Amino acid sequence: MKRILLAATALSLCASSVSAAETLKIGLVTTLSGPGAVVGADIRDGFALAVEHAGGKLGGLDTQVIEADDQQKPDVAVGLANRMTERERVQFVTGIIWSNLALAMVPTLAASKTFFISPNAGTAQLAGAQCNPYFFNVSWPVDTVAEAAGQAAQTQGFKRVYAMAPNYPSGKDVVAGFKRGFKGEIVGEAFTPFGQLDYAAEIAQVKAAKPDALFIFYPGGMGINFIKQYDQAGLLTQIPLVGPGFSFDQDILGAVGDAAIGIKNPLQWSPDLDNAENKRFVEGFKTKFGRIPSFYAAQSYDAAKLIDGAVKAVGGDLKDKDRLRKALESAPFDSVRGRFRFNTNHYPIQNYYQREVVRDETGALTNRLTGIVFTDHADVHAQNCPLK
């Protein structure tokens, strides 16, 4: 009888283990309150659509997505990283928008060997010397998009440019990237407090400097306020705005209105990219959520697709971290931007397109492709990454 009981217990433990392995747990930590919530909603919704398209089973496993609001605060994000690894025991964390939060979370997640799939936050540090075997980014280092904006501004014929950005890691990275791509003169620059919403003083400084164009990086609510105030000051027609695509994307266009029409902005993705996966994503998103997706939603969709492809590649075995990492590195999925591949630093090598804000056939503001800035472009930081 003892032998039978022991066998039954072993069988029960085995069944329990299989059951646990059949549930893929993902912590989706993003900004769901405050001025950044509009971006967080797109991150959440893009990921949810990919899970739905996979029939609720990423990698063929039952998938549980645990959502949490980082409140755009590094200390809250670190607390959530601890919660996800210690209490929830997730295999992946995703959703982070802001680079300062990503930098704060990486040590905790890497120490627990939890894969961190960033749908957006991408600092130069994590692309270079501080690259990490457990950190993957499906967007870009932000300075690389700004580098494309600098190249595009050069092509547009601007000679003298003023630069503005928030005073946080990505803000500094973006301005540095723009300078790398733009060969003209930077006549002035301003780093404003993160979250600032009144820019009257800075706009006056720009007007006095009389540049050919103004380069800005202001995501979310900061961008909405800045562009509106810049338009109200009558400067849009005098000193054109230029910048990376994330300064002029779907998350702010509805609130900004006609002031954004005609602004050119490079990015690695656009709603009108002509490939089957992007068409499925854009149409699915519009049908489910009733709005045009932003690039944040597109990148979050890709983050889920990356997880899906990697887990399938290892046959659902989530315990062999080395094998799972190699599967992630191979990027076994169809991206909304077309062909997708990682560099050695776990950041994409990809095209950067020139886009322009227009009204589409329904009257909605969106971006349309007008050309290409870089083809198969790798960031400059990979050479400093020790991963091979």
Side-chain angles (χ1 to χ4, degrees):
M1 178 65 76
K2 276 187 178 180
R3 186 174 298 172
I4 293 172
L5 285 174
L6 286 170
T9 302
L11 184 62
S12 174
L13 288 172
C14 181
S16 174
S17 175
V18 170
S19 175
E22 288 177 349
T23 299
L24 172 62
K25 297 183 73 174
I26 300 168
L28 192 142
V29 180
T30 196
T31 305
L32 298 171
S33 60
V38 63
V39 177
D42 273 3
I43 292 284
R44 177 197 63 207
D45 293 347
F47 199 89
L49 181 64
V51 175
E52 180 180 300
H53 281 176
K57 293 176 177 285
L58 294 184
L61 302 181
D62 288 335
T63 301
Q64 180 183 3
V65 179
I66 303 163
E67 295 180 7
D69 180 10
D70 59 37
Q71 301 173 43
Q72 214 165 320
K73 297 176 181 177
D75 59 331
V76 174
V78 171
L80 289 171
N82 282 309
R83 172 192 151 191
M84 293 299 173
T85 56
E86 295 173 7
R87 194 171 84 201
E88 306 292 354
R89 297 189 179 278
V90 301
Q91 292 93 9
F92 293 89
V93 167
T94 189
I96 290 294
I97 301 163
W98 315 100
S99 59
N100 53 335
L101 273 60
L103 285 166
M105 293 172 69
V106 162
T108 297
L109 297 176
S112 65
K113 297 185 177 180
T114 302
F115 288 104
F116 185 0
I117 313 297
S118 174
N120 188 69
T123 68
Q125 297 101 306
L126 291 173
Q130 295 179 41
C131 65
N132 190 284
Y134 294 95
F135 179 82
F136 287 78
N137 181 289
V138 297
S139 57
W140 21 245
V142 291
D143 62 320
T144 305
V145 191
E147 182 183 350
Q151 175 64 48
Q154 189 81 21
T155 302
Q156 288 173 258
F158 298 124
K159 306 294 185 186
R160 304 172 67 255
V161 175
Y162 198 102
M164 291 183 61
N167 189 15
Y168 80 122
S170 279
K172 298 291 182 70
D173 284 351
V174 165
V175 172
F178 181 78
K179 289 177 179 178
R180 193 164 63 242
F182 181 65
K183 306 308 179 186
E185 180 187 0
I186 303 296
V187 299
E189 58 186 54
F191 291 97
T192 53
F194 189 87
Q196 177 176 319
L197 297 177
D198 183 355
Y199 298 95
E202 289 80 10
I203 289 172
Q205 291 170 7
V206 172
K207 185 176 181 180
K210 297 180 180 179
D212 296 337
L214 171 63
F215 170 83
I216 65 165
F217 163 54
Y218 283 115
M222 292 182 287
I224 293 168
N225 278 40
F226 182 87
I227 297 170
K228 282 184 171 182
Q229 290 167 31
Y230 194 73
D231 184 35
Q232 289 163 4
L235 292 185
L236 265 178
T237 56
Q238 298 178 36
I239 306 171
L241 289 178
V242 297
F246 38 71
S247 289
F248 308 102
D249 206 65
Q250 216 62 46
D251 59 304
I252 70 167
L253 291 182
V256 170
D258 287 349
I261 292 176
I263 294 177
K264 294 179 172 61
N265 58 101
L267 200 61
Q268 89 289 2
W269 176 82
S270 184
D272 59 331
L273 267 177
D274 189 12
N275 66 72
E277 194 63 31
N278 193 49
K279 289 176 180 177
R280 182 187 187 209
F281 161 67
V282 172
E283 290 308 312
F285 194 94
K286 288 195 289 190
T287 298
K288 185 174 180 64
F289 301 110
R291 65 186 191 274
I292 300 169
S294 69
F295 81 95
Y296 295 105
Q299 291 172 172
S300 194
Y301 185 88
D302 267 359
K305 293 277 290 180
L306 170 63
I307 294 170
D308 178 52
V311 174
K312 279 180 184 173
V314 298
D317 179 7
L318 302 173
K319 293 179 181 178
D320 189 337
K321 301 286 187 176
D322 288 340
R323 188 174 171 223
L324 186 52
R325 182 176 65 252
K326 288 175 184 176
L328 289 164
E329 289 171 345
S330 72
F333 73 104
D334 294 324
S335 169
V336 296
R337 70 200 82 168
R339 179 170 177 256
F340 186 101
R341 61 186 173 120
F342 281 120
N343 205 338
T344 53
N345 61 350
H346 296 171
Y347 279 71
I349 296 173
Q350 60 194 341
N351 295 346
Y352 290 88
Y353 305 94
Q354 181 67 298
R355 314 183 312 166
E356 182 175 349
V357 179
V358 300
R359 283 202 180 275
D360 68 11
E361 58 281 358
T362 71
L365 286 167
T366 188
N367 277 281
R368 286 287 180 263
L369 296 170
T370 63
I372 189 162
V373 182
F374 291 141
T375 302
D376 282 340
H377 192 66
D379 66 81
V380 299
H381 309 293
Q383 60 190 339
N384 300 318
C385 171
L387 298 176
K388 302 298 179 186

